[in-house]
Amino acid sequence: MLTLLAKGLTDETAAGRLGVSLSTVRRSMASIMERLGARSRFEAGLRAAQAGRL
């Protein structure tokens, strides 16, 4: 999920690539953002990169 975020893919595109539902992607993204303490997708990507998770 973090790799797809870093590539700038939409939730719809990420769901298609992962073979999961859109709601699953949105729940996963919300969870990732919460764990990283991010308020936006951009901030989540930045924090993940800084933490060496990408």
Side-chain angles (χ1 to χ4, degrees), residues 2 13 18 23 27 33 43-44 52 54:
L2 287 173
T13 303
L18 295 171
S23 60
R27 278 193 311 273
M33 289 172 60
E43 185 179 3
L54 291 176

Side-chain angles (χ1 to χ4, degrees), residues 5-41:
L5 170 68
K7 291 181 179 182
L9 298 181
T10 64
D11 290 347
E12 292 83 2
T13 303
R17 292 227 181 142
L18 295 171
V20 298
S21 71
L22 179 57
S23 60
T24 297
V25 169
R26 289 185 174 156
R27 278 193 311 273
S28 296
M29 184 53 64
S31 176
I32 289 168
M33 289 172 60
E34 183 178 336
R35 283 183 279 160
L36 293 172
R39 287 186 251 169
S40 69
R41 291 171 61 107

